């Protein structure tokens, strides 16, 4: 019998719809796989066995009753622990929310449930989505299924590792500076950051509200598009949600899979192809650019002169917003409370709670952000960074007058060994050198596996104009049709 955990989401949905397998069988196969490998990988913080089986049974009953099922009905999905799930623990990888069971579902989770997908559980992540390796989780690191001594990327390392380890065919991530795409790149999976406002932030624990974008992760481009279609679209509960339909990402992925890119013009970002990336990463990228040209794409070089300021601008904007967003974790409203012995003042309890509940990277960001926003420094730091953000947006706008999409490697380096970058924050920040400009601009971008370097996966990033998410799926699917998908050595 087929190993159900090796199938694509599209194939699983087809089998369930035809009655060739049941949602319960599919769910059991994935729960068994999690039981077999997750003590090595540690992709999950919480596995919701009962909830998953109940959701699967309901899909099977609806099918038996002749109800119309959605395109992903019966397909298991793992959700990054940054999204609230009603009654199911949500920690954001932090001790400060340990034991918190939210009273409501995030909009994305509601949509996943309404579509008949089966939520397997919550995936590990860097604390509050701050990091590039999942080593900053308060619950221990996730390991890369390609090499258990290496990182799976971050902050959504759990969501990417769950795919690469065949624990789930689909997962949800969130991308503030690269946390969907970078883990996708280093685990050989697909990760898409939708247009900012194209997916709802309602129920997403906020890190940097003007950048945070939840999105789909999968092993194939079509699966990512199918998931994007289910979770995307306007949400009146999120004031920054775009009141427009989801671009036809599924149609675009199918079109791209035909392998024809005639008439598509792609710009290789000059600033991202010089120094800074490992030679093996650049070699895989260059080969993929040739492959895209063979499919009919016209390739040109495009300079985006302000992209080099994206990293410093991001590391002022994101910490500034986080210093404000994380003020709500005060020991009063949610989760942890420390030192409340009846003799301490409210302020002392808040301070002890935050001291005990936040890890070093989160504290560093709160301090940087508080400093950058303080009166007297605001214009010099936060104000300047916002101006740089405008210049980066202008670079994108100018580029998209000449090309349909921009391409670059997703990350400068392949998965690094656990522990290699934790002693120097700047070395960790460099992992998002190529992904951050898109977040500052607000457009969509996808990482698709494009080859191997030193036996480890390399990702190619496609960046498109805002609300042209379909374009990136077309290009990514075309590349996938020629380079194929990448399977890690068996665990
Ligand atoms: N690695 C980046 C950071 O640490 C991006 C994180 C993210 O996208 N959530 O902020």
């Amino acid at each position: 019998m087929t190993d159900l955990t090796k199938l694509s989401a599209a194939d699983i949905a087809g089998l369930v719809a035809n009655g060739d397998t049941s949602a319960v069988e599919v769910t059991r196969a994935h729960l068994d796989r999690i039981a077999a490998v997750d003590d090595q990988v540690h992709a999950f913080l919480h596995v919701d066995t009962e909830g998953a089986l109940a959701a699967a049974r309901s899909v099977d009953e609806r099918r038996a009753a002749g109800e119309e099922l959605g395109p992903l009905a019966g397909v298991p999905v793992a959700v990054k622990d940054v999204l609230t799930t009603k009654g199911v623990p949500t920690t954001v990888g932090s001790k400060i929310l340990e034991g918190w069971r939210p009273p409501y579902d995030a909009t994305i989770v509601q949509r996943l449930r309404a579509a008949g997908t089966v939520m397997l559980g919550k995936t590990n992540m860097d604390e509050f989505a701050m990091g590039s390796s999942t080593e900053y989780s308060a619950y221990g690191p996730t390991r890369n299924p390609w090499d258990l001594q290496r990182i799976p990327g971050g902050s959504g390392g759990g969501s990417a590792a769950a795919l690469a380890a065949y624990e789930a065919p689909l997962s949800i991530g969130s991308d503030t500076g690269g946390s969907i795409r970078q883990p996708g790149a280093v685990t050989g999976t697909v990760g898409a950051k939708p247009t900012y406002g194209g997916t709802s932030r309602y129920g997403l624990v906020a890190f940097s509200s003007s950048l945070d974008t939840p999105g789909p992760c999968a092993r194939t481009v079509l699966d990512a598009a199918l998931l994007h279609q289910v979770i995307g679209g306007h949400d009146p509960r999120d004031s920054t949600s775009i009141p427009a339909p989801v671009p036809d990402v599924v149609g675009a992925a199918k079109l791209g899979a035909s392998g024809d890119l005639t008439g598509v013009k792609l710009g290789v970002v000059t600033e991202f192809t010089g120094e800074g990336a490992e030679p093996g990463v650049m070699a895989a990228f260059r080969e993929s650019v040739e492959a895209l040209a063979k499919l009919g794409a016209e390739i040109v070089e495009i300079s985006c002169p302000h992209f080099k300021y994206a990293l410093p601008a991001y590391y002022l904007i994101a910490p500034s917003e986080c210093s404000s967003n994380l003020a709500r974790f005060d020991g009063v409203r949610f989760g942890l409370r420390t030192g409340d012995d009846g003799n301490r003042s409210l302020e002392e309890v808040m301070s002890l709670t935050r001291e005990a509940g936040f890890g070093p990277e989160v504290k560093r960001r709160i301090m940087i952000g508080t400093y950058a926003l303080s009166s007297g420094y605001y214009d010099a730091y936060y104000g300047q960074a916002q101006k740089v953000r405008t210049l980066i947006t202008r670079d994108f706008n100018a580029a998209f007058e000449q090309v349909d999409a921009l391409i670059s490697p997703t990350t400068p380096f392949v998965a690094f060994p656990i522990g290699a970058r934790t002693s120097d924050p700047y070395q960790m920040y460099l992992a998002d050198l190529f992904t951050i400009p898109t977040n500052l601009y607000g457009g969509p971008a996808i990482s698709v596996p494009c080859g191997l370097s030193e036996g480890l996966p390399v990702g190619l990033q496609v960046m498109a104009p805002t609300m042209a998410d379909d374009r990136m799926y077309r290009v990514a699917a075309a590349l996938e049709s020629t380079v194929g998908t990448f399977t890690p050595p068996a665990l």
Side-chain angles (χ1 to χ4, degrees):
M1 125 147 212
T2 7
D3 180 352
L4 294 167
T5 64
K6 294 281 164 65
L7 300 177
S8 69
D11 287 346
I12 291 174
L15 293 178
V16 172
N18 292 337
D20 293 329
T21 186
S22 69
V24 167
E25 272 180 275
V26 171
T27 302
R28 286 230 162 86
H30 286 89
L31 290 169
D32 288 349
R33 176 71 182 165
I34 293 170
V37 299
D38 207 53
D39 54 346
Q40 296 173 67
V41 179
H42 193 222
F44 284 86
L45 289 176
H46 179 82
V47 178
D48 186 16
T49 306
E50 290 313 311
L53 288 169
R57 273 193 294 273
S58 139
V59 169
D60 290 336
E61 281 160 19
R62 280 166 44 208
R63 185 183 173 277
E67 278 181 41
E68 182 81 31
L69 299 178
L72 288 177
V75 181
V77 52
V79 175
K80 188 177 178 181
D81 208 23
V82 68
L83 286 168
T84 56
T85 40
K86 189 174 180 179
V88 176
T90 301
T91 67
V92 204
S94 180
K95 286 281 178 218
I96 210 153
L97 279 181
E98 194 166 19
W100 184 53
R101 289 177 188 257
Y104 70 107
D105 276 334
T107 294
I108 287 188
V109 173
Q110 281 173 17
R111 289 184 183 175
L112 288 172
R113 293 195 202 280
T117 66
V118 172
M119 193 187 72
L120 294 171
K122 309 296 290 289
T123 59
N124 198 12
M125 56 184 285
D126 287 294
E127 185 176 6
F128 280 95
M130 299 172 195
S132 307
S133 67
T134 314
E135 290 166 289
Y136 295 148
S137 166
Y139 303 97
T142 295
R143 293 169 182 275
N144 192 324
W146 285 80
D147 175 348
L148 295 172
Q149 303 315 318
R150 290 177 187 265
I151 59 100
S155 61
S159 280
L163 302 172
Y166 297 96
E167 294 170 271
L170 295 175
S171 58
I172 299 289
S174 69
D175 195 310
T176 304
S179 288
I180 289 177
R181 290 163 285 160
Q182 186 256 1
V186 301
T187 58
T189 58
V190 178
K193 174 218 173 292
T195 295
Y196 175 81
T199 41
S200 169
R201 288 185 299 112
Y202 179 76
L204 176 85
V205 179
F207 161 14
S208 181
S209 311
S210 77
L211 302 165
D212 296 342
T213 314
C217 313
R219 288 190 296 261
T220 71
V221 176
L222 177 61
D223 281 0
L226 288 164
L227 185 57
H228 190 146
Q229 187 72 50
V230 162
I231 62 172
H234 184 235
D235 178 12
R237 285 178 159 148
D238 171 359
S239 62
T240 55
S241 170
I242 299 173
V246 185
D248 183 13
V249 291
V250 174
K254 288 182 177 161
L255 175 65
S258 69
D260 183 7
L261 288 178
T262 314
V264 175
K265 198 166 169 186
L266 300 175
V268 175
V269 180
T270 316
E271 284 73 15
F272 289 170
T273 48
E275 281 170 22
E278 282 174 359
V281 168
M282 281 317 300
F285 174 70
R286 290 276 174 218
E287 264 178 47
S288 312
V289 174
E290 274 168 38
L292 290 166
K294 281 210 188 93
L295 299 177
E298 186 188 339
I299 313 280
V300 294
E301 282 256 342
I302 295 260
S303 172
C304 295
H306 299 97
F307 279 20
K308 57 175 173 292
Y309 305 119
L311 195 74
Y314 171 88
Y315 277 99
L316 286 168
I317 293 169
S320 296
E321 293 187 13
C322 106
S323 72
S324 159
N325 273 325
L326 270 55
R328 73 192 63 170
F329 301 101
D330 54 9
V332 177
R333 282 170 267 220
F334 322 86
L336 187 74
R337 179 179 304 169
T338 306
D340 185 12
D341 58 6
N343 299 315
R344 289 197 170 91
S345 70
L346 178 63
E347 210 160 80
E348 279 175 301
V349 172
M350 283 182 184
S351 156
L352 287 170
T353 301
R354 288 167 70 83
E355 165 61 32
F358 290 139
E361 182 62 22
V362 172
K363 285 178 185 156
R364 178 164 28 241
R365 306 249 186 147
I366 292 174
M367 285 193 285
I368 293 172
T370 307
Y371 183 82
L373 290 177
S374 56
S375 89
Y377 295 106
Y378 184 96
D379 288 335
Y381 292 110
Y382 188 73
Q384 280 299 108
Q386 289 291 19
K387 286 181 191 160
V388 171
R389 190 171 186 175
T390 302
L391 294 173
I392 288 165
T393 299
R394 285 188 195 151
D395 279 1
F396 272 107
N397 289 338
F400 293 137
E401 277 175 19
Q402 299 172 61
V403 295
D404 297 303
L406 291 169
I407 52 174
S408 75
T410 308
T411 58
F413 32 76
V414 293
F416 46 89
I418 288 183
R421 287 176 188 262
T422 36
S423 58
D424 178 355
Y426 182 66
Q427 290 303 316
M428 188 69 83
Y429 299 165
L430 284 175
D432 295 302
L433 194 59
F434 302 155
T435 47
I436 281 174
T438 289
N439 296 79
L440 294 173
Y441 157 63
I446 193 168
S447 178
V448 58
C450 76
L452 298 178
S453 164
E454 300 164 40
L456 294 165
V458 176
L460 178 134
Q461 172 176 232
V462 187
M463 297 166 267
T466 48
M467 287 311 276
D469 304 45
D470 46 339
R471 266 188 224 175
M472 69 182 186
Y473 279 101
R474 179 175 175 196
V475 176
L479 185 65
E480 182 184 67
S481 77
T482 146
V483 302
T485 53
F486 294 83
T487 307
L491 277 177

